[in-house]
Amino acid sequence: MTDVKIALISATPLAIAPAAAAVSAAIPNSTVWNLLDDRLLADLKQQGEMTGPLADRMDILIESALAGGADGVLLTCSQYGVRADYRDLATDGVAVFSADGPLFNATVRLAPASVLLVASLESAAADSTARLNAAFAAAGVATSIRSLVVPAAANPLAVDELVAHLSTAISEVTEPYDVVVLAQYSLAPAAESLRAHIAVPVLDGPSVAASRLRDAIESAQR
């Protein structure tokens, strides 16, 4: 694969480092380009729903990435992922992925009977649960999703602190589950440590999405 430029579009600075690290690991010869609107989440919370102007702001960022020569675009905010879903690779010539689209596809392929979806915000948990349920329904896979919200993980934390908060919360879940899904990019730094201590698969959005971007770009360059 030749040198490529990957645009990361973020709604919070907390998502940038995990996404950039995952892209660098999956695509070593890539240049990461960050586009950030750090009011998108706050304004979405204030509005209470995805309004036209909010959607337009994300769409403008996507168009800027495409116009700037990005070879791949990844939205790191799960709550704006729907804005990537309508992009047409054949038309744009560039893969534009939502934060959790590849993650959800990977989760569905496991066909788990039960999923533990972990988030730091109620809004992120609700949005991700609805979209993951839709992905399972579209694939004809029957499953149950339990959401676990860990408010302490919404704050900027050192990785060991993040791991501690998530590990404690997950250990207190008594119902069985077959896979853990980290619903936000800001939680991804804890994924490796959680995998070492949890018996079931632990999936995080950045690593899955970065691998999917790599595959899409390699296919386009053939």
Side-chain angles (χ1 to χ4, degrees), residues 105-116:
N105 290 338
T107 305
V108 169
R109 284 197 296 272
L110 293 176
S114 179
V115 174
L116 180 64

Side-chain angles (χ1 to χ4, degrees), residues 32-202:
V32 172
W33 173 23
N34 287 300
L35 294 88
L36 170 67
D37 180 342
D38 63 3
R39 285 294 309 175
L40 280 172
L41 281 177
D43 291 346
L44 178 59
K45 181 178 180 180
Q46 183 180 57
Q47 295 292 327
E49 62 179 353
M50 179 72 70
T51 64
L54 286 176
D56 289 344
R57 277 164 57 185
M58 178 55 76
D59 292 346
I60 288 170
L61 291 173
I62 295 173
E63 294 298 339
S64 294
L66 297 175
D71 298 289
V73 180
L74 176 61
L75 278 59
T76 70
C77 177
S78 61
Q79 294 184 70
Y80 280 87
V82 66
R83 304 315 302 167
D85 293 342
Y86 74 95
R87 310 300 306 196
D88 185 351
L89 176 60
T91 299
D92 294 331
V94 176
V96 179
F97 289 138
S98 62
D100 48 19
L103 173 65
F104 290 170
N105 290 338
T107 305
V108 169
R109 284 197 296 272
L110 293 176
S114 179
V115 174
L116 180 64
L117 185 142
V118 182
S120 66
L121 301 170
E122 292 283 358
S123 57
D127 176 76
S128 294
T129 297
R131 296 183 67 208
L132 182 53
N133 266 322
F136 275 114
V141 177
T143 191
S144 64
I145 301 174
R146 173 193 171 91
S147 64
L148 173 65
V149 178
V150 187
N155 303 311
L157 298 170
V159 174
D160 58 344
E161 292 178 296
L162 178 62
V163 171
H165 284 299
L166 296 182
S167 296
T168 298
I170 292 171
S171 69
E172 294 172 352
V173 175
T174 57
E175 294 84 353
Y177 50 86
D178 301 306
V179 60
V180 173
V181 173
L182 302 181
Q184 295 156 264
Y185 276 38
S186 57
L187 307 183
E192 185 174 353
S193 292
L194 292 176
R195 291 185 188 108
H197 299 97
I198 296 176
V200 302
V202 177

